[in-house]
Every structure is written in structure tokens, then in C-alpha cells.
Amino acid sequence: MPSLRKYLPILDWGRTYNRSAFSNDLIAAVIVTIMLIPQSLAYALLAGLPPEAGIYASIAPIILYAIFGTSRALAVGPVAVVSLLTASAVGQVAQQGTAGYAVAALTLAFLSGGFLLLMGVFRLGFLANFLSHPVIAGFITASGILIATSQLKHILGVSAQGHTLPEMLSSILEHLNEVNWITVVIGVLATAFLFWVRKNLKPTLLGLGVPPLLADILTKAGPVAAVVATTVTVWGFGLADQGVKIVGAVPQSLPPLTMPGLSPDLLGALLVPAILISIIGFVESVSVAQTLAAKKRQRIDPDQELIGLGAANIGAAFTGGYPVTGGFARSVVNFDAGAETPAAGIFTALGLAVAAVALTPLVYYLPNATLAATIIVAVLSLVDLLILQKTWAYSRADFIAVAATILLTLTLGVEIGVASGVATSVLLHLYKTSRPHVAEVGLVPGSQHFRNIDRHEVETDPALVTLRVDESLYFVNARFLEDLIQRRVTEGCAIRNVVLMFSAVNEVDYSALESLEAVNHRLKDMGVGLHLSEVKGPVMDKLKRSHFVDDLNGRVFLSQFDAWQALTKPEAAANAAE
């Protein structure tokens, strides 16, 4: 049973579920459902899919995550960045508005879910670490800009196209003669209202004496108010006949059973985008889940999260949805509303199911401009251009990674942008580790501590050189250390001993071992002893598997102070080098 609970967390929290948790989860579900109805419709629009696909993608996936996921507050469903990635990937293989486009979106969810499940089963969550935080921040910032720009066509009522920022802006400029000014008024007013709601409505309501819970619900219902007001306006004044584009007929039904496309050509075309979506979605989801879990001293299992998200995406593929992940905004709302268990997600799914059956006719006259305003307000909070300033001040290498990710995402597209960001991060990491920090150290007077001779007043011995290696040694940086030692020992003929202080070395690969052997033979020919100090147990175990320790032209010391005492005494130094 314990092993079964590991893979089915619902058996863990479900056995302690009580009336108090039910009440709190139900209240949270009401608030989140109110928020998700317009948001789901909007994100489907962003993905280039019919509006009902957003609702469908928020029902079965939420239930499946509640069964398999470990976070008690994460709310799974369509999110802005994944919706943008979906539109970019599917738009390459099918024409928007066709049946093939919807099938491709289902296939993308299927591939993403399958990849996440495989990662979870084989416990490969660490692969997401190849996306550094600066790259993620840069990608999300660029995506926010792209998403907001892509929605300008709905605010203006024009039929612009494009996947990159230059393409979008150029297309909008070409179609400016098509601008529908009624649509512009609706879109601008809806955007301004939603910005005001987000920043000012709750403080205003609290100032009027409204209870905090009710104020919170009313604030989260702000997009619903915009939807109702603009829908009634378009219907009442017949604005659809004056060129205002509306959502139109939305099927009044529960999520249908669907089948992703399994043709080799389609699977091959969508495989790489599916992997990128999976990793980006997983990183975003786990970051949110860990943050919320820490606030209640709970923990999540990243590998089980992979299984939960994989199951959610598989569910989306067979119920008319598209790729999903844990959303930041909806998860925070779920947490703040008092959700105690994943049952809140199940209740949310039931609420959305009711909306799919009973409320969809009410959005027939909903203007696309209102959905675009909802998206713009949501994604602009993701844009953080200050990350450029912060990384420039802290690390030029991280700045390059961020700047490259933002620039390439905006100009070449989201897939190339994130792939280039990952490649840049890996290359910069290899470059930095190829030139490890190696400090020559000396003894701090009156202590047993050793510090950098360029930073501190320390005692040194002209016949002894101690180099503290502050990086693991592997094929990329092994030659760097070899050349550094060679240069140092040829600078002064009085040197009789070299000590490599390995306190920060966690790994020595075979290439580095060969370099150390070369250094050892070279120093031996020069009459200079080579010694090691403070070697960690696992590193020493590996070194002993070779002949290096036996052939060492010196000794291995437990501490650097032991090496100092032994080698600074003239007779000891002479014996050690022989």
C-alpha cells in the first residue's frame, strides 16, 4: 500500500479528508471556476483553437492531476506560454481553423504527456535543470511580449498574422486600413477595466467595508464582469453586424472523446515542440508547486509531478483539449482561496463541466476583443525586462543568456528562442568551467586556515606552492590546470613542492586523471614534489582505482595545515620531494 500511495497520492490525502477540508476546497473551487471560465476561452483563442477547447482542457486534466499529482494547491490547465507554443508548433503543420489543426493540437498534448510520463517513470526530472532561471525568465518575458502583440489584431479587429515580433508588427501595419473602431473601443475599455480591477478593485471594496473573502471573489470575477458587459453590449446594439468579431456558437456539451493523430509524419513534426513544451511546462509547474508547498511546510515529489502532468496531458489529448501545465495565476488564486487538497481541482472541473453544458450559449456574442484584453492583462505581468539589468550587474554570462533568449525568441520564434537559450546556457557553463578558479593560498597567521594570497595577508614559503582548485576536474578544464601548474613552477627555481588543495573538488574524470598523471611525471623530472590535500572520500576512492596514488611524486595529506607543517620544514620538504 505505501508504494501504491507513492504513485497514487490521492490515496494519501484522500484517507484523511474531512468536512473542513471539503468546505475550504469547495470555496476555492468556486473562486477558481469563476476565474477560469473567461481565461480558458481566451487561452484557446491564443492557441488558435475553438473557445470550447480551453474549457475541455480544464476538465479531465485537472481531475487526472488530482489523482496522480503531489501538490495540494497546483491548478492545472491551459496557460499563456504553453498556448503560444501550441499555436507556434501546430501552425507549422496545419492551417488554423481546420480539422487537421485540432487533431495536431491533440497529438501535441499526447506526445507531451507521453514524454512527461517517461521522464517520471525513469525519474528524469533533473533534465529540466538544463533550463537555467535566466533562460526561463528571458523566455517568459519574450513570450509575454509576443502574446500581448499577437492579441493586438483582436483589439484592432484586423486579420494580421505572424509568429515573430517583426512579422506581427509588419502584418498589423499592413492591415491598419481594416481597423474596426467599435472593436477598438471595446478592446481598450475592457483592457483598462481589467487593469483597474487587478490593481484597485480589492482595496476599494475593502475600504467600503466589504468582507475580505467577498472582496477577493469579486476581484477574481472582474474578467467575468467584462465578459458580461461587453457581451450584452454587442448583443443589445447588434454590433456583430457592424464588423465586431464574436466567439459565435460554442458546443453545449461535456468534453468529447477524441483521438490524436498517430501518423508518422505528424508525430515526427511535433516531437521536438512537444519535448520543449513538456520541459518548459514542467519547470513552470514545479516552480509554482514548490513555492506554494513551502508556505505550508509541505513537499512535492518532482518525479511524481512528471507523472501527474503527463496523465493530465494524456487526458487532454483524448477529451478535445491541448497541452496543459500548472498555471501560476490560477494556482496562487487556488492557494489564497484556501484550497487544502487536490479535491479543489476536482470541484473546479465539475464547475467547468456545468459551464460547458449550461453556459456556453451565453458567450455567443462575446467579442474576441474582450478575450484578447483578458490575455494581455494576464501576460503583461509575466514581462520582466528588469532581468536584463539585474543579470548585467551580477553576471555578464547570465546577461548574455537572457539577452540571447529574448532576442531570438522575439525575432525567430519561441521554439528557436528557447532552444538557443538552452544551448547558450550550456555553452556558457562549459566556458566558465573550462577556466576554473584556482587560487594560490597561504596560511592565515595564528590559525590553521588558508586563504588567497591576493586577497589576504598570509604566510607563504618560496619553496612551496599551494593551489586551491575550486572546481571539479573534467575533460573541459583538465588542460587549463595542467598549463597553470606548468607556468607557476617555471616562474621560480626555488620551488620544491606543489600542493593541490582539493577541498572543492567533487569529481575527477578520466581526462583530468591523465592530466594529473602528466603533471606528476613532469614535476618529478623537475625535482619538484606533487602533493594532494583535503581530498574528499569519493574522489580518493576513484583515484585509488588507478596507479596515480601509487606513482604520486609526493604525499596525500588529510588537511592543508598538515601539508604546511610537513613541507615547510626544510628536512621534511627535502624528504617529501625525494
Side-chain angles (χ1 to χ4, degrees), residues 153-187:
K153 63 183 180 182
H154 298 296
I155 298 292
L156 298 174
V158 300
S159 55
Q161 302 296 326
H163 295 288
T164 67
L165 187 62
E167 290 175 354
M168 291 178 189
L169 294 177
S170 175
S171 184
I172 289 173
L173 291 175
E174 290 176 2
H175 292 82
L176 280 180
N177 60 319
E178 302 174 6
V179 170
N180 184 293
W181 291 105
I182 300 176
T183 301
V184 171
V185 171
I186 293 173

Side-chain angles (χ1 to χ4, degrees), residues 466-482:
T466 297
L467 300 175
R468 189 189 68 219
V469 184
D470 294 334
E471 187 81 52
S472 291
L473 298 177
Y474 67 122
F475 67 96
V476 171
N477 59 25
R479 187 57 186 267
F480 175 85
L481 179 63
E482 186 178 339

Side-chain angles (χ1 to χ4, degrees), residues 118 131 172 184 388 522 570:
L118 284 175
L131 280 173
I172 289 173
V184 171
L388 291 169
R522 194 173 297 133

Side-chain angles (χ1 to χ4, degrees), residues 44-219:
L45 178 72
L46 175 59
L49 292 163
E52 65 269 16
I55 294 179
Y56 295 162
S58 299
I59 297 177
I62 296 178
I63 296 174
L64 288 168
Y65 178 81
I67 295 172
F68 295 100
T70 59
S71 172
R72 300 200 173 196
L74 191 70
V76 171
V79 299
V81 173
V82 171
S83 298
L84 175 66
L85 287 166
T86 298
S88 176
V90 176
Q92 303 297 319
V93 298
Q95 181 68 35
Q96 186 173 326
T98 64
Y101 191 96
V103 171
L106 297 174
T107 305
L108 192 63
F110 178 75
L111 287 172
S112 179
F115 182 72
L116 288 166
L117 282 174
L118 284 175
M119 287 181 67
V121 170
F122 291 103
R123 307 186 70 80
L124 299 178
F126 69 90
L127 291 176
N129 295 334
F130 285 100
L131 280 173
S132 67
H133 180 265
V135 167
I136 288 292
F139 174 72
I140 290 178
T141 292
S143 297
I145 295 172
L146 284 178
I147 292 168
T149 305
S150 72
Q151 298 308 297
L152 290 178
K153 63 183 180 182
H154 298 296
I155 298 292
L156 298 174
V158 300
S159 55
Q161 302 296 326
H163 295 288
T164 67
L165 187 62
E167 290 175 354
M168 291 178 189
L169 294 177
S170 175
S171 184
I172 289 173
L173 291 175
E174 290 176 2
H175 292 82
L176 280 180
N177 60 319
E178 302 174 6
V179 170
N180 184 293
W181 291 105
I182 300 176
T183 301
V184 171
V185 171
I186 293 173
V188 170
L189 289 178
T191 304
F193 172 74
L194 291 174
F195 271 120
W196 179 84
V197 166
R198 171 168 288 203
K199 293 185 177 180
N200 301 310
L201 181 57
K202 188 172 182 178
T204 301
L205 293 174
L206 292 175
L208 295 175
V210 176
L213 179 59
L214 180 58
D216 194 50
I217 294 175
L218 293 175
T219 301

Side-chain angles (χ1 to χ4, degrees), residues 145-463:
I145 295 172
L146 284 178
I147 292 168
T149 305
S150 72
Q151 298 308 297
L152 290 178
K153 63 183 180 182
H154 298 296
I155 298 292
L156 298 174
V158 300
S159 55
Q161 302 296 326
H163 295 288
T164 67
L165 187 62
E167 290 175 354
M168 291 178 189
L169 294 177
S170 175
S171 184
I172 289 173
L173 291 175
E174 290 176 2
H175 292 82
L176 280 180
N177 60 319
E178 302 174 6
V179 170
N180 184 293
W181 291 105
I182 300 176
T183 301
V184 171
V185 171
I186 293 173
V188 170
L189 289 178
T191 304
F193 172 74
L194 291 174
F195 271 120
W196 179 84
V197 166
R198 171 168 288 203
K199 293 185 177 180
N200 301 310
L201 181 57
K202 188 172 182 178
T204 301
L205 293 174
L206 292 175
L208 295 175
V210 176
L213 179 59
L214 180 58
D216 194 50
I217 294 175
L218 293 175
T219 301
K220 300 302 184 296
V224 176
V227 166
V228 172
T230 54
T231 301
V232 171
T233 300
V234 171
W235 169 73
F237 291 95
L239 299 182
D241 297 329
Q242 300 181 43
V244 175
K245 296 179 181 179
I246 59 176
V247 169
V250 176
Q252 192 174 355
S253 67
L254 292 172
L257 291 176
T258 53
M259 187 71 185
L262 299 177
S263 70
D265 290 341
L266 182 60
L267 294 175
L270 294 177
L271 180 60
V272 173
I275 292 174
L276 289 176
I277 287 174
S278 300
I279 295 177
I280 292 170
F282 172 64
V283 171
E284 179 181 355
S285 179
V286 166
S287 298
V288 176
Q290 288 177 332
T291 300
L292 298 179
K295 292 183 178 181
K296 288 191 175 182
R297 297 191 177 184
Q298 298 169 349
R299 63 176 298 275
I300 66 165
D301 180 351
D303 291 313
Q304 184 61 30
E305 284 297 289
L306 285 166
I307 294 175
L309 292 172
N313 277 279
I314 294 292
F318 289 97
T319 56
Y322 65 98
V324 297
T325 191
F328 176 76
R330 69 182 68 189
S331 297
V332 171
V333 170
N334 196 37
F335 180 86
D336 291 342
E340 291 191 20
T341 73
I346 296 175
F347 299 148
T348 298
L350 294 176
L352 290 172
V354 171
V357 172
L359 302 181
T360 50
L362 301 180
V363 299
Y364 182 92
Y365 288 100
L366 172 61
N368 288 344
T370 301
L371 295 179
T374 301
I375 294 173
I376 290 172
V377 173
V379 301
L380 285 184
S381 63
L382 303 176
V383 176
D384 179 20
L385 293 176
L386 288 178
I387 190 67
L388 291 169
Q389 178 184 339
K390 294 173 183 176
T391 52
W392 175 263
Y394 186 76
S395 168
R396 296 294 193 273
D398 287 334
F399 171 81
I400 292 173
V402 173
T405 302
I406 292 176
L407 181 63
L408 293 172
T409 300
L410 291 177
T411 57
L412 299 179
V414 290
E415 294 169 7
I416 294 178
V418 71
S420 301
V422 173
T424 302
S425 292
V426 172
L427 289 175
L428 287 172
H429 172 72
L430 292 175
Y431 174 75
K432 287 188 290 186
T433 56
S434 71
R435 305 175 63 82
H437 182 262
V438 179
E440 185 170 344
V441 298
L443 179 66
V444 177
S447 75
Q448 297 183 12
H449 300 290
F450 290 80
R451 292 292 184 269
N452 193 328
I453 62 173
D454 295 326
R455 292 176 177 269
H456 302 274
E457 293 292 334
V458 293
E459 296 178 11
T460 60
D461 184 331

